[in-house]
Amino acid sequence: MEDTRFSPESDRARILLAGTRDTAMKQLSQLLDTRGFHVPVLASAMDRFVKSLVPLPRAAACNIGCAWCCHLRVGVSIPETLVIFHEIRAQATPEGLAFLKHRILKTSGRGDILDENFWRRSRCHCPFLDVDGAYQCLIYGLRPFSCRAFHSLDEAVCRKGYDQGMEIQVPCFPLYRAGVDLYSSVLIQVAAQRGLASFQVGFIRALEILFTDDTASEHWLQGENVFLPAKIAEVTLD
Ligand code: SF4
Ligand code: SF4
């Protein structure tokens, strides 16, 4: 049975999370040392991290088609965004790509998408949410770590937050959430250690940059601070 009282603040949890983080940082650093800092290498590292995740506990209330949480701001690392963008570009048809670009630019034009309150008050949905269909994520297998981490033990709480357009404490398995989220922090930290302009960015704003500037990926990998307009917060790991 899942222990919901086991918070990331407890000593055992902190040790566990620190160990997972250190291992992930070591694995990622070794991979980048041997194969170079390129998007396919980052994709391979992310794939490895995703495969190492434990499944969401069955007691969570999350179900297919439930998507109140897909109306919130998503914070990601730049490497995640690069990998997701390049995978979308590789897999989508030209029409599919144009459709997604249109949706991203439309969302971006609706207001200050880097502000969490914009999402809550406007009830704006993520451009990857299939609102014309089954309310599923169009990039489910590629979704960012923060989307994988977010879950709830009570759908009614999620719905209340959406209905009231306000921040609300969603009951969750805190260790699960912290354990998944840490991979995004690891990607931020390892990129920063290599001298890149690395910080947490708004997912949709960062994608807008990539969709409208073909050179953005390459320039970032060369050390340029091209994602500064998408920056939302510094992430500290301790
Ligand atoms: S976090 Fe909440 S809104 Fe999102 S899928 Fe789970 S229950 Fe539904
Ligand atoms: S990327 Fe997918 S899971 Fe994440 S907020 Fe958007 S629709 Fe939801």
Side-chain angles (χ1 to χ4, degrees):
M1 180 133 174
E2 211 49 59
D3 184 357
T4 58
R5 297 162 302 170
F6 194 41
S7 80
E9 286 74 39
S10 77
D11 286 347
R12 280 171 61 211
R14 284 173 71 88
I15 291 167
L16 191 64
L17 288 172
T20 306
R21 183 194 68 196
D22 291 349
T23 303
M25 289 196 66
K26 205 177 291 175
Q27 283 178 345
L28 179 57
S29 297
Q30 281 171 354
L31 199 63
L32 297 175
D33 284 344
T34 51
R35 293 177 51 195
F37 202 111
H38 306 294
V39 175
V41 184
L42 293 168
S44 164
M46 268 182 66
D47 188 48
R48 197 182 289 186
F49 291 157
V50 167
K51 284 181 177 148
S52 75
L53 299 178
V54 295
L56 180 62
R58 271 187 294 183
C62 304
N63 275 308
I64 292 169
C66 179
W68 311 113
C69 57
C70 294
H71 296 72
L72 300 173
R73 187 189 68 184
V74 175
V76 294
S77 65
I78 296 168
E80 277 172 273
T81 319
L82 291 191
V83 169
I84 293 167
F85 171 71
H86 284 272
E87 287 293 327
I88 290 173
R89 210 170 53 174
Q91 292 177 23
T93 61
E95 295 76 22
L97 206 55
F99 168 77
L100 290 176
K101 179 177 178 180
H102 171 72
R103 274 202 170 185
I104 287 165
L105 296 187
K106 194 171 157 196
T107 302
S108 174
R110 287 190 58 186
D112 183 3
I113 58 171
L114 294 181
D115 180 358
E116 281 194 283
N117 288 325
F118 160 77
W119 292 87
R120 293 186 202 286
R121 290 182 191 140
S122 68
R123 298 188 179 88
C124 182
H125 63 81
C126 172
F128 294 112
L129 185 63
D130 179 20
V131 288
D132 302 318
Y135 267 73
Q136 293 183 35
C137 174
L138 293 170
I139 56 162
Y140 190 76
L142 287 172
R143 68 197 189 287
F145 283 110
S146 63
C147 297
R148 296 175 192 274
F150 199 89
H151 66 280
S152 171
L153 301 180
D154 186 352
E155 186 204 332
V157 178
C158 300
R159 180 173 193 151
K160 188 176 171 194
Y162 173 84
D163 285 343
Q164 298 186 354
M166 56 184 275
E167 185 167 5
I168 201 156
Q169 194 66 39
V170 173
C172 68
F173 294 108
L175 187 57
Y176 177 87
R177 193 158 163 187
V180 178
D181 259 340
L182 72 79
Y183 289 103
S184 190
S185 302
V186 164
L187 285 158
I188 290 173
Q189 180 134 324
V190 169
Q193 282 173 348
R194 277 150 205 266
L196 298 177
S198 184
F199 35 76
Q200 192 181 42
V201 290
F203 185 42
I204 305 307
R205 178 69 81 221
L207 281 173
E208 181 192 1
I209 292 169
L210 288 163
F211 268 97
T212 53
D213 178 359
D214 283 343
T215 68
S217 289
E218 209 44 51
H219 284 164
W220 184 74
L221 289 165
Q222 287 165 5
E224 292 183 35
N225 198 359
V226 291
F227 291 101
L228 186 60
K231 184 173 181 175
I232 54 175
E234 295 287 351
V235 173
T236 53
L237 296 176
D238 294 314

